[in-house]
Amino acid sequence: SPFTKAVSNVTYPATNSVRFSFSILTSEANGMAIMEFGLLTAGDLLYARKTRTTALNKESDISFTGTWTITF
């Protein structure tokens, strides 16, 4: 079962793009082997995804922050 979390911020860096900020805290998703990141719509449809060839083993000493920019 996937770990899901709402994006933390949405900005518009240019007239033709939107940027979604996200984070996974040290207290979240521990014990999971992360093989992909995805951007879900409000209706839980997968809009974008990034897969990995090796897992990121999430433990309580690791946190992630990042952004996902879509240009149209």
Side-chain angles (χ1 to χ4, degrees), residues 9-14 17-21 67-69:
N9 194 29
V10 178
T11 58
Y12 302 89
S17 66
V18 58
R19 180 172 294 145
F20 302 93
S21 300
T67 59
W68 203 305
T69 304

PDB file of all heavy atoms in Angstrom, residues 9-14 17-21 67-69:
ATOM      1  N   ASN A   9       2.979  22.878  -0.966  1.00  0.00           N
ATOM      2  CA  ASN A   9       2.887  24.216  -1.542  1.00  0.00           C
ATOM      3  C   ASN A   9       2.738  24.107  -3.058  1.00  0.00           C
ATOM      4  O   ASN A   9       3.272  23.177  -3.669  1.00  0.00           O
ATOM      5  CB  ASN A   9       4.143  25.019  -1.195  1.00  0.00           C
ATOM      6  CG  ASN A   9       3.981  26.497  -1.455  1.00  0.00           C
ATOM      7  OD1 ASN A   9       2.887  27.027  -1.391  1.00  0.00           O
ATOM      8  ND2 ASN A   9       5.079  27.168  -1.752  1.00  0.00           N
ATOM      9  N   VAL A  10       2.043  25.067  -3.641  1.00  0.00           N
ATOM     10  CA  VAL A  10       1.897  25.157  -5.091  1.00  0.00           C
ATOM     11  C   VAL A  10       2.255  26.576  -5.502  1.00  0.00           C
ATOM     12  O   VAL A  10       1.746  27.542  -4.929  1.00  0.00           O
ATOM     13  CB  VAL A  10       0.456  24.836  -5.543  1.00  0.00           C
ATOM     14  CG1 VAL A  10       0.323  24.974  -7.046  1.00  0.00           C
ATOM     15  CG2 VAL A  10       0.040  23.453  -5.089  1.00  0.00           C
ATOM     16  N   THR A  11       3.170  26.702  -6.459  1.00  0.00           N
ATOM     17  CA  THR A  11       3.553  28.015  -6.986  1.00  0.00           C
ATOM     18  C   THR A  11       3.510  27.980  -8.506  1.00  0.00           C
ATOM     19  O   THR A  11       3.463  26.912  -9.117  1.00  0.00           O
ATOM     20  CB  THR A  11       4.961  28.433  -6.519  1.00  0.00           C
ATOM     21  OG1 THR A  11       5.908  27.443  -6.942  1.00  0.00           O
ATOM     22  CG2 THR A  11       5.025  28.602  -5.008  1.00  0.00           C
ATOM     23  N   TYR A  12       3.551  29.155  -9.102  1.00  0.00           N
ATOM     24  CA  TYR A  12       3.531  29.299 -10.560  1.00  0.00           C
ATOM     25  C   TYR A  12       4.754  30.108 -10.981  1.00  0.00           C
ATOM     26  O   TYR A  12       4.686  31.331 -11.087  1.00  0.00           O
ATOM     27  CB  TYR A  12       2.224  29.979 -10.992  1.00  0.00           C
ATOM     28  CG  TYR A  12       1.016  29.186 -10.542  1.00  0.00           C
ATOM     29  CD1 TYR A  12       0.429  29.416  -9.295  1.00  0.00           C
ATOM     30  CD2 TYR A  12       0.499  28.185 -11.335  1.00  0.00           C
ATOM     31  CE1 TYR A  12      -0.657  28.662  -8.872  1.00  0.00           C
ATOM     32  CE2 TYR A  12      -0.588  27.423 -10.924  1.00  0.00           C
ATOM     33  CZ  TYR A  12      -1.155  27.673  -9.698  1.00  0.00           C
ATOM     34  OH  TYR A  12      -2.221  26.929  -9.274  1.00  0.00           O
ATOM     35  N   PRO A  13       5.888  29.447 -11.207  1.00  0.00           N
ATOM     36  CA  PRO A  13       7.143  30.155 -11.488  1.00  0.00           C
ATOM     37  C   PRO A  13       7.156  30.863 -12.850  1.00  0.00           C
ATOM     38  O   PRO A  13       7.973  31.754 -13.065  1.00  0.00           O
ATOM     39  CB  PRO A  13       8.198  29.051 -11.435  1.00  0.00           C
ATOM     40  CG  PRO A  13       7.449  27.785 -11.669  1.00  0.00           C
ATOM     41  CD  PRO A  13       6.070  28.003 -11.153  1.00  0.00           C
ATOM     42  N   ALA A  14       6.280  30.472 -13.759  1.00  0.00           N
ATOM     43  CA  ALA A  14       6.166  31.116 -15.072  1.00  0.00           C
ATOM     44  C   ALA A  14       4.715  30.977 -15.520  1.00  0.00           C
ATOM     45  O   ALA A  14       3.952  30.194 -14.937  1.00  0.00           O
ATOM     46  CB  ALA A  14       7.107  30.457 -16.080  1.00  0.00           C
ATOM     47  N   SER A  17       3.837  27.234 -16.305  1.00  0.00           N
ATOM     48  CA  SER A  17       4.287  26.135 -15.447  1.00  0.00           C
ATOM     49  C   SER A  17       3.705  26.249 -14.038  1.00  0.00           C
ATOM     50  O   SER A  17       3.338  27.334 -13.581  1.00  0.00           O
ATOM     51  CB  SER A  17       5.816  26.065 -15.386  1.00  0.00           C
ATOM     52  OG  SER A  17       6.340  27.202 -14.754  1.00  0.00           O
ATOM     53  N   VAL A  18       3.648  25.098 -13.400  1.00  0.00           N
ATOM     54  CA  VAL A  18       3.203  25.012 -12.011  1.00  0.00           C
ATOM     55  C   VAL A  18       4.204  24.129 -11.267  1.00  0.00           C
ATOM     56  O   VAL A  18       4.712  23.152 -11.808  1.00  0.00           O
ATOM     57  CB  VAL A  18       1.759  24.460 -11.915  1.00  0.00           C
ATOM     58  CG1 VAL A  18       1.638  23.098 -12.546  1.00  0.00           C
ATOM     59  CG2 VAL A  18       1.266  24.445 -10.477  1.00  0.00           C
ATOM     60  N   ARG A  19       4.509  24.503 -10.029  1.00  0.00           N
ATOM     61  CA  ARG A  19       5.484  23.755  -9.221  1.00  0.00           C
ATOM     62  C   ARG A  19       4.832  23.307  -7.914  1.00  0.00           C
ATOM     63  O   ARG A  19       4.260  24.114  -7.187  1.00  0.00           O
ATOM     64  CB  ARG A  19       6.700  24.629  -8.914  1.00  0.00           C
ATOM     65  CG  ARG A  19       7.752  23.907  -8.078  1.00  0.00           C
ATOM     66  CD  ARG A  19       9.014  24.730  -7.948  1.00  0.00           C
ATOM     67  NE  ARG A  19       9.625  24.841  -9.260  1.00  0.00           N
ATOM     68  CZ  ARG A  19      10.273  25.919  -9.701  1.00  0.00           C
ATOM     69  NH1 ARG A  19      10.408  26.969  -8.922  1.00  0.00           N
ATOM     70  NH2 ARG A  19      10.790  25.937 -10.903  1.00  0.00           N
ATOM     71  N   PHE A  20       4.931  22.009  -7.658  1.00  0.00           N
ATOM     72  CA  PHE A  20       4.387  21.406  -6.443  1.00  0.00           C
ATOM     73  C   PHE A  20       5.549  21.055  -5.524  1.00  0.00           C
ATOM     74  O   PHE A  20       6.468  20.355  -5.929  1.00  0.00           O
ATOM     75  CB  PHE A  20       3.611  20.132  -6.792  1.00  0.00           C
ATOM     76  CG  PHE A  20       2.477  20.356  -7.758  1.00  0.00           C
ATOM     77  CD1 PHE A  20       2.670  20.196  -9.115  1.00  0.00           C
ATOM     78  CD2 PHE A  20       1.230  20.736  -7.302  1.00  0.00           C
ATOM     79  CE1 PHE A  20       1.638  20.402 -10.017  1.00  0.00           C
ATOM     80  CE2 PHE A  20       0.192  20.946  -8.184  1.00  0.00           C
ATOM     81  CZ  PHE A  20       0.388  20.777  -9.549  1.00  0.00           C
ATOM     82  N   SER A  21       5.497  21.507  -4.286  1.00  0.00           N
ATOM     83  CA  SER A  21       6.524  21.177  -3.290  1.00  0.00           C
ATOM     84  C   SER A  21       6.013  20.054  -2.403  1.00  0.00           C
ATOM     85  O   SER A  21       4.820  19.992  -2.085  1.00  0.00           O
ATOM     86  CB  SER A  21       6.839  22.391  -2.422  1.00  0.00           C
ATOM     87  OG  SER A  21       7.305  23.452  -3.215  1.00  0.00           O
ATOM     88  N   THR A  67      10.595  19.216  -5.270  1.00  0.00           N
ATOM     89  CA  THR A  67       9.593  19.904  -6.071  1.00  0.00           C
ATOM     90  C   THR A  67       9.347  19.124  -7.334  1.00  0.00           C
ATOM     91  O   THR A  67      10.215  18.359  -7.799  1.00  0.00           O
ATOM     92  CB  THR A  67      10.025  21.339  -6.434  1.00  0.00           C
ATOM     93  OG1 THR A  67      11.244  21.289  -7.170  1.00  0.00           O
ATOM     94  CG2 THR A  67      10.196  22.214  -5.219  1.00  0.00           C
ATOM     95  N   TRP A  68       8.175  19.310  -7.872  1.00  0.00           N
ATOM     96  CA  TRP A  68       7.772  18.700  -9.131  1.00  0.00           C
ATOM     97  C   TRP A  68       7.239  19.831  -9.988  1.00  0.00           C
ATOM     98  O   TRP A  68       6.233  20.444  -9.643  1.00  0.00           O
ATOM     99  CB  TRP A  68       6.681  17.671  -8.888  1.00  0.00           C
ATOM    100  CG  TRP A  68       6.572  16.642  -9.941  1.00  0.00           C
ATOM    101  CD1 TRP A  68       6.401  16.842 -11.277  1.00  0.00           C
ATOM    102  CD2 TRP A  68       6.616  15.230  -9.752  1.00  0.00           C
ATOM    103  NE1 TRP A  68       6.342  15.649 -11.934  1.00  0.00           N
ATOM    104  CE2 TRP A  68       6.466  14.639 -11.024  1.00  0.00           C
ATOM    105  CE3 TRP A  68       6.750  14.414  -8.649  1.00  0.00           C
ATOM    106  CZ2 TRP A  68       6.458  13.272 -11.199  1.00  0.00           C
ATOM    107  CZ3 TRP A  68       6.740  13.062  -8.830  1.00  0.00           C
ATOM    108  CH2 TRP A  68       6.603  12.492 -10.096  1.00  0.00           C
ATOM    109  N   THR A  69       7.902  20.149 -11.101  1.00  0.00           N
ATOM    110  CA  THR A  69       7.491  21.235 -11.972  1.00  0.00           C
ATOM    111  C   THR A  69       6.927  20.682 -13.262  1.00  0.00           C
ATOM    112  O   THR A  69       7.560  19.855 -13.912  1.00  0.00           O
ATOM    113  CB  THR A  69       8.674  22.176 -12.280  1.00  0.00           C
ATOM    114  OG1 THR A  69       9.213  22.658 -11.032  1.00  0.00           O
ATOM    115  CG2 THR A  69       8.233  23.360 -13.130  1.00  0.00           C
TER     116      THR A  69
END
